[in-house]
Amino acid sequence: MKKTSFILAFCLTLLISSIVTAQTEKGKILVGADSNMNFSALTNKTKDDNNSNVYSKENNFIIAPKLGYFVINNLSLGIEVPLTFSNSKSYFNGFYDSNYSYQSAEQKYTSVVFAPFTKYYFNVNKTFKPFLQGQIGLGISKYTNTIDENNFNNYGDIYDPSLGGYVRTYTSRSSIFTYGLEGGLAIFFNDKISLDIALGYSSITFKPKENNPDNFRQISSGFVSNIGFSLYF
């Protein structure tokens, strides 16, 4: 009797383990977009009883698609590609000084990073699986600032017929180095979809590519929270 009970318990344990592991078993493919998903389109203005003036508009979009492969049960190796797009335009109607008559300024920022990652899931049950993820990556960024100076020609500004005035453009490019470690919880709605919530540490370093004899770098680091979805095939 004891032997039969032991065999039944052992078989039941194997069955539960296979069900729990099925979502993250060896050979599965992970597709996700779960790091700092963000989109915003903002208009900033001043307003009183007589006037309403728009002084800036902003559009931002951040997403980090990822693709991974489970090399063994619960361990996925892959690559994450954070993409950032940002555009803002400021209006300076009525602002003058002795040298300039600024009408508007437009800033554009784009970046792309390629970050290999390792992600490990802990089998708790079929619905909730804690995980740890680490990644390290390299990338590039580009920042452009274009100033419309109306009818003034300062320091070799270029005349732009579409704007009806002179413009001055400044462009900078930087290399990016980033790394991070995070822990979180994957909440599975079924065998194919999970909601991932994470908290971790991230560091990103920007290094200008041009006119940088002193090896200047800008470093941003600290704790970050991420939320997104993952698909399993």
Side-chain angles (χ1 to χ4, degrees):
M1 182 66 179
K2 289 183 178 180
K3 184 176 181 181
T4 302
S5 299
F6 174 78
I7 294 175
L8 289 175
F10 180 73
C11 292
L12 182 61
T13 301
L14 288 179
L15 177 62
I16 294 174
S17 177
S18 64
I19 293 174
V20 171
T21 309
Q23 299 146 320
T24 56
E25 66 184 357
K26 179 181 178 181
K28 290 267 189 173
I29 295 175
L30 166 68
V31 179
D34 62 354
S35 181
N36 293 313
M37 293 178 64
N38 179 33
F39 171 76
S40 63
L42 305 174
T43 297
N44 303 305
K45 63 183 179 180
T46 60
K47 190 174 184 180
D48 57 31
D49 292 339
N50 301 312
N51 298 288
S52 178
N53 297 309
V54 174
Y55 62 87
S56 69
K57 293 183 178 181
E58 304 173 22
N59 294 285
N60 301 285
F61 181 67
I62 304 171
I63 191 171
K66 65 167 56 175
L67 179 65
Y69 179 78
F70 285 91
V71 293
I72 60 175
N73 288 346
N74 303 314
L75 179 63
S76 174
L77 303 181
I79 188 165
E80 187 173 41
V81 186
L83 303 169
T84 302
F85 306 93
S86 177
N87 178 274
S88 65
K89 191 165 186 176
S90 303
Y91 302 91
F92 305 104
N93 293 330
F95 176 80
Y96 298 94
D97 65 22
S98 58
N99 297 314
Y100 303 104
S101 173
Y102 294 139
Q103 297 301 304
S104 66
E106 184 174 18
Q107 297 85 33
K108 295 181 179 180
Y109 175 83
T110 58
S111 70
V112 57
V113 175
F114 297 91
F117 72 86
T118 299
K119 190 172 186 178
Y120 184 81
Y121 293 82
F122 297 90
N123 274 328
V124 175
N125 57 51
K126 190 177 181 181
T127 303
F128 301 102
K129 290 190 178 183
F131 64 82
L132 287 175
Q133 177 176 313
Q135 65 272 337
I136 186 170
L138 298 173
I140 55 174
S141 69
K142 180 181 178 180
Y143 171 80
T144 302
N145 185 16
T146 302
I147 299 175
D148 172 16
E149 295 183 329
N150 201 10
N151 294 320
F152 288 77
N153 184 5
N154 300 287
Y155 303 106
D157 296 342
I158 300 173
Y159 184 79
D160 188 335
S162 65
L163 295 175
Y166 290 89
V167 297
R168 177 156 48 101
T169 299
Y170 167 77
T171 300
S172 66
R173 295 175 176 83
S174 298
S175 61
I176 298 174
F177 171 72
T178 182
Y179 64 90
L181 178 65
E182 65 182 28
L185 181 66
I187 304 172
F188 283 83
F189 301 112
N190 52 46
D191 288 343
K192 301 295 185 181
I193 304 174
S194 72
L195 172 67
D196 300 340
I197 303 172
L199 177 66
Y201 177 85
S202 177
S203 177
I204 182 168
T205 300
F206 298 89
K207 180 180 176 181
K209 287 190 170 186
E210 299 95 5
N211 302 320
N212 189 20
D214 297 324
N215 197 31
F216 173 82
R217 288 159 290 171
Q218 177 183 344
I219 303 171
S220 300
S221 60
F223 291 97
V224 296
S225 59
N226 298 320
I227 186 170
F229 290 92
S230 293
L231 304 177
Y232 306 83
F233 301 95

